[in-house]
Amino acid sequence: MSGNLKLALQKKGRLTEKSLELLSLCGLDIENYSERLVVSVRNFPMDILFLRDDDIPEYVQDGVADIGIVGENVVSEKQTQSLILEKLGFGRCSLLFAYPEGKEIKKIEDINEKTIATTYPRILKEYLRTNNLNAKVIELRGSVEIAPSLGVADLICDIVSTGNTLMMNKLKKSFKVFDSQAVLISAAGELKDERKNDVLRDLLRRIRSVKTAHSSKYLMMNIPKESLDKIIGIIPSLKSPTVLHLADENMLAVHAVIPSDKFWEIIEDLKSAGASGVLLLPIENLIQ
Ligand code: PRP
Ligand code: ZN
């Protein structure tokens, strides 16, 4: 194989599309990947390996891949020597208990003496230990959600994202064990190849820029000159806002980068301070 940096991605699943979308926002032009195990990136010295997500931490630890994108849940379950380089902010899900009708758990102690099916035995057993609970853990490789209806387990401990899988299997959410999102991992310690290290640093820089850009928006508005101080006091700007003169000398234009989620909190205050023509634009990249 080439001396390119090797990135492992989930072959088919919740994280695949979002991971590819992130890479494409990083400016990477990825070959059509349908059904292939390895694809290259046209404009970046990196190859992408498509693997089963559960295998990714081990492959990264063993150097089959240099880095990987995988759920924190899998990283934590596998307990390999891999290192989380960056949390990626997508693929959010929780590992939680779910029960079928008639087996309700009102308080966590209700799981004592119960049988729990899971694909996350390590995390679950650790949780039981730290909470002084005593339940039987049944380890399954998949399709955990059908275990209660098959009579194999009283309840399950599984990953829930949208909740559709639980709903389809008539299971109800209960206590949460672990919150997870997609992360970028590498083997512990620096990569041995200096060139690959440079490529990894470049990739991380791009990923961070995309992440900040996505959590920020570009706010533009016109304001009456006399409201400037008031408006500046309202804007939760990352840097000092830009103030521009307009042809109408009683008016100013104010531009600022703000955290996306703050917009709806401040819009009414801006309007009552006299702001008009308010525009909120997406930002593609933001280098800080
Ligand atoms: C989990 C879990 C469910 C599904 C739940 O699998 O086992 O099958 O996600 O998602 P939902 O709440 O949106 O319906 P995961 O994607 O972790 O992958 P897996 O195939 O490796 O188990
Ligand atoms: Zn998996």
Side-chain angles (χ1 to χ4, degrees), residues 10 53-54 74 120:
Q10 182 180 31
D53 67 339
D54 309 62
V74 177
Y120 295 88

Side-chain angles (χ1 to χ4, degrees), residues 243-261:
V243 180
L244 303 162
H245 291 281
L246 295 178
D248 176 347
E249 58 182 33
N250 295 316
M251 298 290 286
L252 294 169
V254 175
H255 296 184
V257 174
I258 62 161
S260 315
D261 55 350

Side-chain angles (χ1 to χ4, degrees), residues 91-161:
R92 288 182 195 276
C93 61
S94 307
L95 181 67
L96 47 82
F97 294 108
Y99 60 88
E101 236 159 71
K103 304 259 179 175
E104 192 167 349
I105 26 179
K106 289 199 178 106
K107 49 186 192 318
I108 192 65
E109 288 75 23
D110 290 349
I111 70 168
N112 273 325
E113 313 308 326
K114 295 266 185 345
T115 305
I116 311 168
T118 190
T119 46
Y120 295 88
R122 264 208 180 124
I123 303 180
L124 175 56
K125 282 178 186 163
E126 180 62 31
Y127 178 86
L128 295 175
R129 214 175 6 252
T130 47
N131 289 282
N132 268 324
L133 296 162
N134 178 30
K136 186 170 175 215
V137 176
I138 300 211
E139 179 178 353
L140 299 179
R141 299 301 293 268
S143 308
V144 170
E145 55 281 351
I146 61 169
S149 61
L150 293 179
V152 178
D154 298 311
L155 52 142
I156 66 168
C157 182
D158 197 15
I159 292 297
V160 178
S161 154

Side-chain angles (χ1 to χ4, degrees), residues 259-279:
S260 315
D261 55 350
K262 288 286 185 290
F263 179 70
W264 296 106
E265 288 173 25
I266 61 165
I267 181 64
E268 287 310 320
D269 292 344
L270 290 175
K271 276 174 28 197
S272 20
S276 59
V278 180
L279 281 179

